[in-house]
Amino acid sequence: MHQSADTNFPLLSKINSPAELRELEENDLYKICAELRGFLIETLARVGGHFAAGLGTVELTTALHYVFDTPNDRIVWDIGHQAYPHKILTGRRDQLHTIRKPDGLSPFLKRSESEFDTFGAGHSSTSISAALGMAVAAASRGEERDVVAIIGDGALTAGMAYEALNNAGDMDANLLVILNDNDMSISPNVGALRNHLARILSGKAYTGMRKGAKGVLQNVPPVQDLARRWEEHMKGMVMPGTLFEELGFYYIGPIDGHDIDALVKTLQNLKALDGPRFLHIVTQKGKGFEPAEGDPLAYHGVSPFNPKTGEMQKSVSKRSYTDVFSDWLCDMAEKDTKLMAITPAMREGSGLVKFSEQHPKRYFDVGIAEQHAVTFAAGIACEGLKPVVAIYSSFLQRAYDQLVHDVSIQNLDVTFAIDRAGLVGADGATHAGSFDYSFMRCLPNMLVLAPSDETECRDMLYTAYIHQGPSSVRYPRGSGTGVAEISKMTAIPIGAGEIRVKGTDIAILNFGTLLPAALKAAEELGATVANMRFVKPLDEKLVLELTEGHKLLITVEENAVEGGAGSGVNELLAAKSIVIPIVNLGLPDVFLEHGIQSNMLAACGLDAAGIVSSAHKAMDTHGIKLTGAA
């Protein structure tokens, strides 16, 4: 535990499990919330991490673990941004300073980390579906337990959440859904009156009268219908719950999500009810830390900062690949008025801030709705405009059916700018872009480009954009070798790789931004290095040329080996009946935990030393000696 935990947080330091929290008097919860918020600020000020969303869920987390018998009762959080307080209250307080670090706590929910993490969540909008499954399983086994799904942080913009709501209401499942409305996007009107109303509407007197009235009137259809419509009308006048009621949920709220007393009493009332229930709370991101309250976006994820002023440590960094994309997009938009930019709620992360300001009518943030983003782009392309979809590699996985049916089959002119390709360091397996080479290259009509540096990235974005048909350019998080300010755009011949270094015996075929490692390895091995540039179409002529005069081929990529770019080379050689030793280097067939990006690449054998080591192992296996070697 942090040295000051016992002195600065005397009550919190005694809570090592929710069971101990439940032993407290209800009046102590105010102090627990204050200490929990203070501990979160103090710890993340030292180590960084997801910040603002967690500050907003302090009271909710405390109330949930106080009212419900966790872990027997299941609490399913939607993504992990808002779950740091949950980690603190469930026995991981002493480890919070390790979050996002190698061998430390996961930045998201992880079933193998704690029995209180009931469902692993790295991407949003999954909580209601998972919780519904748990509720159905409990009912099937005759087990008495409550299941609670907490959805928020923009996650209710995703279609999957509504699919689950629709299913849950129709099944009359014993499920409580809590909407953490932390942007006040549905209703800003909260306060004492609404909290009082919520307690009344969730209490036994009201619910008993409601059920009783329905029972009395059920044999008098016209009167029953009148009563139902009167009730909906009265509730609709004061709360935005009509949609959820129509989906089959008993709706309560909105209430102040920072009023611990109101939360506890309302949750206790709702716990006593059966069937699908929906509690709407309104919280403030960054609650209790003034800089984060004023700019929750800037404090969503933080580097170490001053806990008094909020000033974050600044690091000098080169222009990132995301910056390169941002500049290209704005430059291309000036040249072509047909360009439209689309993002599924990742404006800042995908580098679209500048474009959104310069071309607001050509910019579309569709929310956390990746499937919609892709088909929306397809519709734009149908009308002759030029959509560019800026999306993280792991988020594009969520829209694969739309990639196949709505873009590729119709051969529509949509450009995909795929950010966060390859390993992503501290965010771990849920956010790693490990598979896009594999799932893009198998699609007919799809162009798959693999830039090796920032200059090539800009040229490839231009190449993909002017190509008539679906295309993708993938680039990693962070920066590459660094280049001078780029102004021009040069198209690259489709499917054309290039020789960067000529050598003997070994040919290294590089796909993407691992080229510096390949070139360094080649110095030691005396190898040829080909910058392949295209995963699809593959430069077949160049590959076949490299099989002549070389004794060993090595493919290098920051993508899963299975089905990746190297597999494309293997398929070509097999089709041509060419037999030559070949080593495919890439990401292993496991989900890699979070860590430091460079260290992770080295552990995968994707640095220069790893490439050299793999080459020597292959030479030993196949009895290959380098030209001129003794």
Side-chain angles (χ1 to χ4, degrees):
M1 189 189 306
H2 188 251
Q3 293 179 353
S4 62
D6 289 326
T7 55
N8 292 354
F9 313 105
L11 197 55
L12 181 66
S13 65
K14 299 175 183 177
I15 305 300
N16 297 302
S17 72
E20 293 174 326
L21 175 70
R22 291 190 283 271
E23 293 176 0
L24 298 178
E25 296 294 329
E26 196 170 323
N27 289 338
D28 290 329
L29 298 183
Y30 291 96
K31 184 169 177 57
I32 278 288
C33 289
E35 291 188 13
L36 182 55
R37 184 168 276 112
F39 182 80
L40 190 63
I41 293 171
E42 181 182 291
T43 304
L44 295 189
R46 291 185 293 114
V47 303
H50 296 119
F51 186 54
L55 287 176
T57 61
V58 165
E59 288 79 11
L60 174 61
T61 306
T62 304
L64 284 168
H65 283 296
Y66 189 75
V67 172
F68 292 96
D69 182 25
T70 55
N72 179 62
D73 289 337
R74 311 298 199 222
I75 295 179
V76 184
W77 293 94
D78 205 280
I79 205 167
H81 298 154
Q82 55 186 335
Y84 283 26
H86 163 80
K87 288 177 182 274
I88 295 170
L89 291 178
T90 54
R92 289 168 279 181
R93 180 187 63 246
D94 297 1
Q95 299 169 272
L96 189 67
H97 68 281
T98 71
I99 202 158
R100 295 169 60 88
K101 294 181 179 179
D103 301 318
L105 290 181
S106 168
F108 303 107
L109 283 304
K110 189 175 181 183
R111 283 171 53 83
S112 61
E113 184 176 287
S114 171
E115 62 180 335
F116 293 94
D117 290 2
T118 59
F119 194 75
H123 291 181
S124 76
S125 314
T126 61
S127 60
I128 304 175
S129 296
L132 176 60
M134 294 176 189
V136 168
S140 176
R141 300 167 74 172
E143 296 172 342
E144 291 291 332
R145 68 163 49 98
D146 288 289
V147 182
V148 184
I150 301 96
I151 190 164
D153 207 19
L156 207 58
T157 60
M160 183 177 177
Y162 292 97
E163 293 173 11
L165 286 169
N166 180 60
N167 190 205
D170 184 60
M171 293 174 63
D172 198 34
N174 193 25
L175 172 69
L176 171 60
V177 175
I178 299 177
L179 169 59
N180 176 24
D181 181 3
N182 52 18
D183 285 321
M184 305 184 80
S185 58
I186 295 180
S187 175
N189 299 315
V190 297
L193 176 60
R194 287 189 179 275
N195 293 337
H196 176 67
L197 180 62
R199 287 196 293 270
I200 292 174
L201 293 176
S202 65
K204 290 183 178 179
Y206 177 83
T207 55
M209 179 179 67
R210 185 182 191 219
K211 290 180 179 179
K214 288 184 176 179
V216 170
L217 297 174
Q218 65 181 349
N219 294 320
V220 191
V223 181
Q224 180 194 26
D225 184 61
L226 176 64
R228 178 185 59 79
R229 285 187 284 112
W230 174 84
E231 179 188 38
E232 291 178 355
H233 174 70
M234 293 303 294
K235 291 182 70 176
M237 289 177 63
V238 293
M239 62 186 65
T242 305
L243 170 63
F244 305 112
E245 291 274 8
E246 290 296 327
L247 286 171
F249 282 77
Y250 182 70
Y251 175 91
I252 297 295
I255 68 170
D256 183 354
H258 300 299
D259 185 333
I260 187 69
D261 182 59
L263 280 172
V264 167
K265 287 181 172 57
T266 302
L267 287 173
Q268 287 171 337
N269 288 336
L270 287 169
K271 180 178 171 63
L273 302 178
D274 296 322
R277 292 142 288 157
F278 194 101
L279 174 61
H280 178 181
I281 71 170
V282 177
T283 62
Q284 181 180 17
K285 277 187 178 181
K287 177 70 174 178
F289 190 66
E290 188 173 343
E293 290 179 358
D295 191 354
L297 181 60
Y299 286 86
H300 169 72
V302 296
S303 56
F305 61 91
N306 185 317
K308 294 182 179 179
T309 65
E311 182 180 2
M312 282 185 258
Q313 294 180 8
K314 296 181 180 179
S315 59
V316 179
S317 60
K318 296 180 290 187
R319 293 173 71 248
S320 67
Y321 279 96
T322 305
D323 294 332
V324 171
F325 166 72
S326 177
D327 292 342
W328 169 81
L329 189 69
C330 292
D331 292 346
M332 195 70 235
E334 292 297 325
K335 295 177 179 292
D336 187 358
T337 58
K338 292 182 178 181
L339 187 150
M340 302 284 175
I342 301 163
T343 180
M346 293 305 299
R347 184 184 71 160
E348 289 75 20
S350 292
L352 290 175
V353 173
K354 185 166 65 171
F355 183 90
S356 69
E357 294 168 348
Q358 293 182 3
H359 305 282
K361 293 184 178 180
R362 297 159 65 185
Y363 163 76
F364 304 93
D365 182 344
V366 302
I368 303 176
E370 295 87 355
Q371 293 173 306
H372 166 59
V374 173
T375 305
F376 175 57
I380 289 176
C382 284
E383 299 302 315
L385 298 181
K386 299 274 289 184
V388 176
V389 179
I391 190 168
Y392 288 9
S393 174
S394 63
F395 295 167
L396 185 57
Q397 294 164 184
R398 307 185 79 176
Y400 195 62
D401 183 67
Q402 287 69 32
L403 267 175
V404 176
H405 280 259
D406 301 337
V407 175
S408 295
I409 286 178
Q410 301 186 90
N411 198 24
L412 292 174
D413 193 3
V414 180
T415 301
F416 294 91
I418 305 176
D419 205 330
R420 304 310 198 265
L423 299 177
V424 291
D427 281 339
T430 59
H431 284 59
S434 306
F435 311 110
D436 54 87
Y437 280 170
S438 302
F439 69 68
M440 297 298 275
R441 82 172 189 87
C442 65
L443 296 179
N445 298 322
M446 183 65 70
L447 200 67
V448 183
L449 295 87
S452 62
D453 61 24
E454 292 91 331
T455 301
E456 201 165 65
C457 183
R458 181 178 170 95
D459 288 343
M460 285 190 174
L461 286 164
Y462 177 63
T463 303
Y465 181 80
I466 63 175
H467 171 71
Q468 295 297 309
S471 59
S472 65
V473 181
R474 64 110 72 168
Y475 42 90
R477 182 178 195 166
S479 57
T481 55
V483 293
E485 194 67 29
I486 310 169
S487 58
K488 64 178 182 177
M489 291 179 260
T490 304
I492 297 173
I494 300 297
E498 60 177 2
I499 299 293
R500 284 293 185 95
V501 173
K502 287 187 177 181
T504 58
D505 300 319
I506 300 172
I508 302 174
L509 288 69
N510 173 79
F511 295 87
T513 55
L514 296 178
L515 182 62
L519 291 170
K520 187 175 180 180
E523 292 179 8
E524 184 171 339
L525 296 168
T528 295
V529 176
N531 178 29
M532 297 304 297
R533 301 200 295 196
F534 289 82
V535 174
K536 185 176 185 178
L538 184 67
D539 190 338
E540 296 186 359
K541 180 181 178 182
L542 178 57
V543 172
L544 296 177
E545 288 175 356
L546 292 172
T547 63
E548 300 174 5
H550 293 93
K551 303 172 183 176
L552 172 67
L553 302 185
I554 301 175
T555 65
V556 179
E557 62 189 297
E558 194 175 343
N559 184 86
V561 170
E562 286 75 10
S567 292
V569 176
N570 298 347
E571 292 158 13
L572 172 64
L573 298 180
K576 298 294 184 180
S577 300
I578 295 174
V579 179
I580 184 173
I582 183 167
V583 176
N584 300 132
L585 298 182
L587 301 180
D589 190 26
V590 295
F591 289 107
L592 297 169
E593 301 297 337
H594 56 283
I596 299 171
Q597 202 166 352
S598 57
N599 293 349
M600 296 172 74
L601 287 171
C604 294
L606 293 176
D607 60 351
I611 296 172
V612 170
S613 176
S614 294
H616 283 297
K617 288 178 182 177
M619 287 189 291
D620 290 343
T621 299
H622 296 284
I624 298 171
K625 290 188 176 181
L626 297 179
T627 300

